[in-house]
Amino acid sequence: MQIEITPEPLYPWQRLEAYERQLAQIGKYGATAVFVGTMRDFNEGDDVAAMHLEHYPEMTEKYLRNIADQAMQQWSLLDVMIVHRVGSIQPNETIVLVAAWSAHRADAFDASRHLMELLKSRAPFWKKETLNSGTTRWVEKNTPG
Amino acid sequence: MQIEITPEPLYPWQRLEAYERQLAQIGKYGATAVFVGTMRDFNEGDDVAAMHLEHYPEMTEKYLRNIADQAMQQWSLLDVMIVHRVGSIQPNETIVLVAAWSAHRADAFDASRHLMELLKSRAPFWKKETLNSGTTRWVEKNTPG
Amino acid sequence: MTIDVKFFASLRERLGRSGAQLDIAEAATVAEVWQHCTEQAMPANVLMAVNLEYVQAEHPVHDGDEVAFFPPVTGG
Amino acid sequence: MTIDVKFFASLRERLGRSGAQLDIAEAATVAEVWQHCTEQAMPANVLMAVNLEYVQAEHPVHDGDEVAFFPPVTGG
């Protein structure tokens, strides 16, 4: 299991490739479901130039570990990965990567989606956007999935 | 949109990285949902040494294009990718890669899962397993997702 | 009329051939194509396609059609 | 008793500080911690945590607790 909050650029496909190379369960997982959230260059009808992601370090990490542990119990999973960016982010950069490995595709699909919904609705991260006009604004709320 | 049936080894994460590099909608997609199906080294209680994947070339390609086109109409998607192996496959090799790009995560999740269910239930592929014992057998049916 | 018949996977192996060129005098259904080609009853779970699209056994066939029979699919 | 109070994001900016060390005489609830720290009514959508776990406003606080207030989350 890998849970990470990082201020560094995140390359999801490289990350997954590297992670799978050292997965102990080679030959056991038949299904991998992945979600990647990417920063868009628009939001609420405005062009967005940049974003800053604030978080509550200890609580965010604890929360992500908890939901990953719960997912491992709720579904038949072999492994789970959650990586989330914080700090300054540019359009088209990856914000979040969630992956679930299972022997069965329904478990992988259900778990990855459930983790994303919990992350979006309860993990203590906050986005502040800088518009092309130079104005900054806090994103008010996440849309339901 | 990319639909491909290939006898060559498939490296899903490299494939996605290369594909995203030339995506025209940079900055427009906020959500990418991916499913990767991998050959397991067990099935129905037996150890599996190798697999051969047969298909009905013209119909399979047509079917995959149809479901991808329908998904583009049914959901708000920016792009779709389906790549499927045929021929000889070893345990831990990738069998199928499905990806959906959208501005919204619900569309990406729904579309990728729907495409996998349609592919599993109706795309004309057939698996023949070689067990560790040397016996070969056709896989009888796919499990519902 | 001429019908291009194809068999796949375990069905191909059981019948011992991957297909047939069928010449029949009159319009027929997919089920009749099966009867002309094989000496067996059609297994209940056989899937059928005409010109690359799924059809039912009573679907009509026409000159030049490609008719395929195959077992439940197991891709992905 | 001593309570470590934290504010995040737009709430931190609106209150003009990221937290406070609060010394209060008696056991209190999270809502009372808010009242001690700010001169404002608590916005309806504020989320609260004690020792890194979500709680409601009437949750009790104890000596040494870390109490956090923040707006709706927008990660992912």
Side-chain angles (χ1 to χ4, degrees):
Chain A
M1 196 165 87
Q2 188 168 62
I3 308 297
E4 190 182 328
I5 297 164
T6 176
E8 301 298 323
L10 169 57
Y11 303 103
W13 316 123
Q14 289 178 24
R15 188 83 181 216
L16 287 160
E17 192 181 8
Y19 192 68
E20 282 198 345
R21 246 184 261 125
Q22 52 80 60
L23 264 189
Q25 293 92 344
I26 276 185
K28 301 309 170 204
Y29 58 87
T32 311
V34 174
F35 181 84
V36 175
T38 308
M39 187 187 155
R40 298 178 311 190
D41 59 12
F42 67 97
N43 192 27
E44 308 266 335
D46 297 301
D47 291 330
V48 180
M51 196 164 74
H52 186 83
L53 247 163
E54 182 172 332
H55 74 311
Y56 180 179
E58 302 83 358
M59 182 171 173
T60 311
E61 170 132 9
K62 186 179 182 186
Y63 180 81
L64 296 182
R65 288 202 177 278
N66 279 349
I67 62 175
D69 286 341
Q70 283 165 22
M72 294 287 288
Q73 287 171 18
Q74 187 169 351
W75 288 283
S76 172
L77 300 180
L78 293 160
D79 212 334
V80 163
M81 177 190 256
I82 306 176
V83 188
H84 201 292
R85 282 286 300 278
V86 289
S88 289
I89 304 185
Q90 306 299 313
N92 206 43
E93 289 186 356
T94 297
I95 299 171
V96 62
L97 163 60
V98 166
W101 287 264
S102 175
H104 309 289
R105 74 185 183 284
D107 293 82
F109 272 126
D110 287 342
S112 66
R113 188 163 192 167
H114 184 72
L115 285 169
M116 269 310 298
E117 298 312 317
L118 289 177
L119 188 156
K120 289 278 239 190
S121 63
R122 302 288 275 175
F125 293 104
W126 302 275
K127 287 176 182 149
K128 188 178 198 174
E129 297 174 334
T130 302
L131 304 186
N132 280 3
S133 61
T135 312
T136 62
R137 68 180 182 198
W138 290 96
V139 176
E140 293 287 331
K141 61 174 165 42
N142 272 338
T143 48
Chain B
M1 194 164 88
Q2 187 168 62
I3 309 296
E4 188 180 329
I5 298 163
T6 176
E8 302 297 324
L10 169 58
Y11 303 104
W13 316 123
Q14 289 177 23
R15 187 81 182 217
L16 286 161
E17 192 181 9
Y19 191 67
E20 281 198 346
R21 246 184 261 126
Q22 52 81 58
L23 265 188
Q25 294 93 342
I26 276 185
K28 301 309 170 204
Y29 59 88
T32 311
V34 174
F35 181 85
V36 175
T38 307
M39 187 187 155
R40 299 180 307 190
D41 59 12
F42 66 96
N43 193 28
E44 308 266 335
D46 297 301
D47 291 332
V48 181
M51 196 163 75
H52 187 83
L53 247 163
E54 181 172 332
H55 74 311
Y56 179 179
E58 302 83 359
M59 183 172 172
T60 311
E61 170 133 7
K62 186 178 181 186
Y63 180 80
L64 296 181
R65 288 203 175 278
N66 279 350
I67 62 176
D69 287 340
Q70 283 165 22
M72 294 287 287
Q73 287 172 17
Q74 187 170 351
W75 289 283
S76 171
L77 300 179
L78 294 160
D79 212 334
V80 164
M81 177 189 256
I82 307 176
V83 189
H84 201 292
R85 283 284 301 278
V86 289
S88 290
I89 305 186
Q90 305 300 312
N92 206 43
E93 289 186 354
T94 297
I95 298 171
V96 62
L97 161 61
V98 166
W101 287 264
S102 175
H104 309 289
R105 74 184 183 285
D107 293 81
F109 272 126
D110 287 343
S112 66
R113 188 163 193 166
H114 183 73
L115 285 169
M116 269 310 298
E117 297 313 317
L118 289 176
L119 186 155
K120 288 278 240 189
S121 63
R122 301 288 276 175
F125 292 103
W126 302 276
K127 287 176 181 147
K128 189 178 198 175
E129 296 173 333
T130 303
L131 304 186
N132 279 3
S133 61
T135 312
T136 62
R137 68 180 180 197
W138 290 97
V139 177
E140 292 288 330
K141 62 174 165 39
N142 272 338
T143 47
Chain C
M1 65 189 196
T2 306
I3 305 292
D4 189 13
V5 184
K6 290 175 182 283
F7 304 111
F8 289 95
S10 57
L11 194 60
R12 171 177 53 72
E13 288 190 353
R14 203 173 332 139
L15 295 172
R17 53 196 168 135
S18 61
Q21 284 285 124
L22 195 67
D23 269 293
I24 41 180
E26 50 192 313
T29 64
V30 171
E32 288 172 76
V33 170
W34 173 275
Q35 285 153 21
H36 273 90
C37 284
T38 76
E39 281 139 33
Q40 306 182 17
M42 196 190 292
N45 65 359
V46 163
L47 300 172
M48 291 150 270
V50 170
N51 299 333
L52 315 179
E53 299 282 353
Y54 279 104
V55 296
Q56 299 299 315
E58 56 277 13
H59 191 86
V61 294
H62 301 102
D63 187 38
D65 279 355
E66 176 169 311
V67 178
F69 299 94
F70 46 82
V73 302
T74 56
Chain D
M1 65 190 199
T2 307
I3 305 291
D4 189 12
V5 184
K6 291 175 181 284
F7 304 112
F8 289 95
S10 58
L11 195 60
R12 171 177 53 70
E13 288 191 353
R14 202 170 335 137
L15 296 171
R17 53 198 168 135
S18 61
Q21 284 286 123
L22 195 67
D23 269 294
I24 41 181
E26 50 193 315
T29 64
V30 171
E32 288 171 77
V33 170
W34 173 274
Q35 285 152 22
H36 273 90
C37 284
T38 77
E39 284 139 31
Q40 305 183 17
M42 196 191 291
N45 65 358
V46 163
L47 300 171
M48 291 150 270
V50 170
N51 298 333
L52 314 181
E53 298 282 352
Y54 280 103
V55 296
Q56 298 300 314
E58 56 277 11
H59 191 86
V61 294
H62 301 100
D63 186 38
D65 278 355
E66 176 170 311
V67 178
F69 299 94
F70 46 81
V73 303
T74 56

